[in-house]
Amino acid sequence: MAKGMKLSASVEFGSLLTHKTKKVGPLAAAVLNGAFIQGLEFDDYHSKAPIHSGSIVLPTLLALVEHLAGNQNDNFVPIDGASFLLASTIGYEVGPRIGLGLYGVSALRSGWHSGAIFGPAAAAAASAKLLKLSGSRIEDAIGTACTQAGGLMSAQYESMVKRMQHGFAARNGLFATLMTMNGYTGIKQVLERPYGGYLSNFSHGNGYDPPYKPELVTDKLGEHWEIGDVIVKPYASMAANHVAIDCVRALQDEFPDRFTPSGVNSIQSITVEMGETAFQKGGWEATRPITITGAQMSASYAIAAQLVDREVTVAQFLDSDRLNGDSIWSVVAKIICKHNPDFGLGLGDSWRSRVQIDFETGTVQKQLDAPRGINPPLSNEEILTKWRTATGSCLTSAKRDAIEHEVLHLERSTDLKRLTSLLFGADTASSQWQVSNGQ
């Protein structure tokens, strides 16, 4: 146990992506990089069992790659791209499947930060697979990870800790695997035990009968891949706000003459109807002053940004004066979010939203059942464009292209150290990224 603790804290391994010259231990790297990815609110999410897998699985594995490379012995074999992809796939599969055992969005409705709850097991499974541990030892790692699961959704309002909770999940899962690697025994059958088990405890009070379904964790395993339901975000806002943003975009396209700057100023009121989960997470009344985290979680703020700026990207949330400026808040003041009990009644049916906008000269409205990203999914070219745009202020084109090439040809890589070396530090100092990470 002491050896595992010492290795997990070592500063020789695990790099912090946002600094050129500073390295930290693998656990610190996992939590900091996970928090950084989540800090932009621009990552991915699972459409039925909400978890931002990219904020958990990837920081875990990248920290472990650096850890192993720095702890070489005579038998060291570099981690190749195919092994990294396999381990990533395992992590992307385990997190949502555990969530489905809790009816997916049910954890959010109960006030848990679902990704922080589902995530430690995903990080443990992915990192244990990368180490090629046996099935029994992977079970130990998942058991130790699950007993560290936690995260409250009240973190979404004004705190900075909301960004960190997926990082906590990455750190805790990696810690579980490092301890397992050094002989530590974890909880067996941690998911299904009726007393003190993971599913039984996190399902208390959810209103379902039965309260949890362990069979859904393995349902159609190897036939249906949950990674197919992982969605890349087109907007830098909480995922449940995306349908309402899309409703506004559709109205802007359909009625361009109504949504000129003067037309937006003539809006009398905006009513947004949402399902229960979307309303709880984003439908609360936003007030000034607001933090970056609060603005990105707020449906009212996201809708106002789309109406005023015709986009909802990271840029809409970076300038503190603009964040609380009158141009956005004059529109926020006109928005009322309501829970529609007919929306989002079934598993995976939580996306439907309706937006009605009342002008001095009439009313327009739009209802959509799923956001862009789910229907339709982002194309590969759209994802590449998002990556290139998002990194334009912090990477030179040469470094961006080198990272892009490594990622798009990952299955051919013989040593992941090439990728982690490229990711270690940005080319240019960017106050924008520092501000976003700070919030």
Side-chain angles (χ1 to χ4, degrees), residues 18-320:
T18 53
H19 295 275
K20 284 186 175 182
T21 59
K22 183 179 177 69
K23 280 200 171 187
V24 296
L27 300 184
V31 70
L32 289 167
N33 289 325
F36 176 73
I37 294 170
Q38 253 284 280
L40 299 176
E41 202 67 47
F42 210 25
D43 45 1
D44 61 25
Y45 64 95
H46 190 274
S47 63
K48 297 176 183 176
I51 178 176
H52 304 285
S53 299
S55 301
I56 297 172
V57 174
L58 299 183
T60 298
L61 293 179
L62 291 171
L64 183 56
V65 167
E66 288 281 286
H67 177 79
L68 296 173
N71 192 34
Q72 294 183 27
N73 55 39
D74 293 339
N75 299 318
F76 174 74
V77 177
I79 301 296
D80 60 79
S83 297
F84 186 90
L85 286 172
L86 176 59
S88 299
T89 302
I90 296 297
Y92 271 76
E93 194 71 15
V94 167
R97 282 185 169 275
I98 287 177
L100 292 173
L102 291 169
Y103 295 94
V105 298
S106 171
L108 279 174
R109 293 190 185 119
S110 299
W112 293 114
H113 192 179
S114 56
I117 300 301
F118 310 156
S127 52
K129 184 64 179 178
L130 193 67
L131 291 173
K132 297 182 171 60
L133 300 188
S134 68
S136 176
R137 300 305 281 156
I138 292 175
E139 183 182 17
D140 284 326
I142 290 175
T144 302
C146 283
T147 199
Q148 301 175 79
L152 301 175
M153 236 11 269
S154 56
Q156 73 175 3
Y157 300 111
E158 67 284 317
S159 81
M160 292 182 180
V161 75
K162 189 270 178 186
R163 310 303 201 188
M164 297 185 69
Q165 289 180 162
H166 277 64
F168 293 159
R171 176 198 62 193
N172 295 346
L174 179 56
F175 176 71
T177 293
L178 293 174
M179 296 301 290
T180 301
M181 182 179 71
N182 287 277
Y184 203 75
T185 302
I187 302 171
K188 299 293 188 181
Q189 301 178 35
V190 68
L191 297 179
E192 61 268 39
R193 285 192 189 272
Y195 174 70
Y198 173 93
L199 294 176
S200 66
N201 274 273
F202 281 113
S203 62
H204 282 311
N206 65 9
Y208 285 93
D209 185 19
Y212 60 96
K213 301 189 76 172
E215 65 272 17
L216 292 183
V217 178
T218 56
D219 185 47
K220 296 181 181 178
L221 185 63
E223 299 174 26
H224 173 77
W225 294 93
E226 293 301 327
I227 196 171
D229 291 320
V230 171
I231 310 303
V232 177
K233 284 186 175 184
Y235 310 118
S237 179
M238 186 265 293
N241 295 333
H242 287 204
V243 187
I245 297 170
D246 282 331
C247 286
V248 173
R249 287 188 68 209
L251 290 171
Q252 288 171 319
D253 291 341
E254 188 174 351
F255 304 101
D257 293 342
R258 284 195 176 274
F259 290 95
T260 62
S262 61
V264 171
N265 289 335
S266 73
I267 291 174
Q268 301 295 292
S269 64
I270 302 168
T271 303
V272 184
E273 297 175 62
M274 316 166 81
E276 181 182 6
T277 303
F279 179 73
Q280 286 178 330
K281 287 196 71 181
W284 42 276
E285 183 179 357
T287 58
R288 287 192 280 187
I290 198 168
T291 64
I292 293 175
T293 300
Q296 290 187 297
M297 300 301 292
S298 167
S300 296
Y301 192 96
I303 290 167
Q306 179 62 39
L307 284 166
V308 174
D309 296 337
R310 303 186 76 90
E311 63 179 4
V312 185
T313 66
V314 175
Q316 268 67 49
F317 304 93
L318 294 180
D319 186 292
S320 59

Side-chain angles (χ1 to χ4, degrees), residues 220-430:
K220 296 181 181 178
L221 185 63
E223 299 174 26
H224 173 77
W225 294 93
E226 293 301 327
I227 196 171
D229 291 320
V230 171
I231 310 303
V232 177
K233 284 186 175 184
Y235 310 118
S237 179
M238 186 265 293
N241 295 333
H242 287 204
V243 187
I245 297 170
D246 282 331
C247 286
V248 173
R249 287 188 68 209
L251 290 171
Q252 288 171 319
D253 291 341
E254 188 174 351
F255 304 101
D257 293 342
R258 284 195 176 274
F259 290 95
T260 62
S262 61
V264 171
N265 289 335
S266 73
I267 291 174
Q268 301 295 292
S269 64
I270 302 168
T271 303
V272 184
E273 297 175 62
M274 316 166 81
E276 181 182 6
T277 303
F279 179 73
Q280 286 178 330
K281 287 196 71 181
W284 42 276
E285 183 179 357
T287 58
R288 287 192 280 187
I290 198 168
T291 64
I292 293 175
T293 300
Q296 290 187 297
M297 300 301 292
S298 167
S300 296
Y301 192 96
I303 290 167
Q306 179 62 39
L307 284 166
V308 174
D309 296 337
R310 303 186 76 90
E311 63 179 4
V312 185
T313 66
V314 175
Q316 268 67 49
F317 304 93
L318 294 180
D319 186 292
S320 59
D321 291 334
R322 174 163 172 59
L323 193 66
N324 290 290
D326 291 341
S327 62
I328 293 289
W329 284 91
S330 62
V331 179
V332 171
K334 301 175 182 179
I335 299 174
I336 298 174
C337 295
K338 297 181 177 180
H339 171 220
N340 186 324
D342 294 330
F343 290 0
L345 296 177
L347 180 63
D349 182 31
S350 59
W351 297 106
R352 183 175 301 155
S353 292
R354 181 188 297 134
V355 175
Q356 177 177 304
I357 302 179
D358 299 311
F359 294 88
E360 294 174 352
T361 57
T363 296
V364 297
Q365 71 172 19
K366 188 71 176 182
Q367 176 177 308
L368 292 172
D369 292 335
R372 179 170 162 247
I374 294 179
N375 185 23
L378 296 189
S379 67
N380 288 341
E381 189 57 41
E382 286 176 312
I383 294 171
L384 272 175
T385 298
K386 174 184 171 180
W387 146 256
R388 291 166 181 168
T389 302
T391 57
S393 64
C394 62
L395 294 177
T396 63
S397 58
K399 187 165 188 177
R400 181 203 68 197
D401 291 346
I403 293 172
E404 191 174 302
H405 182 271
E406 285 294 320
V407 171
L408 294 180
H409 299 88
L410 203 56
E411 71 279 5
R412 304 177 195 170
S413 174
T414 57
D415 188 351
L416 253 291
K417 187 67 175 154
R418 286 199 296 270
L419 177 59
T420 59
S421 296
L422 285 168
L423 294 175
F424 184 43
D427 284 294
T428 60
S430 172

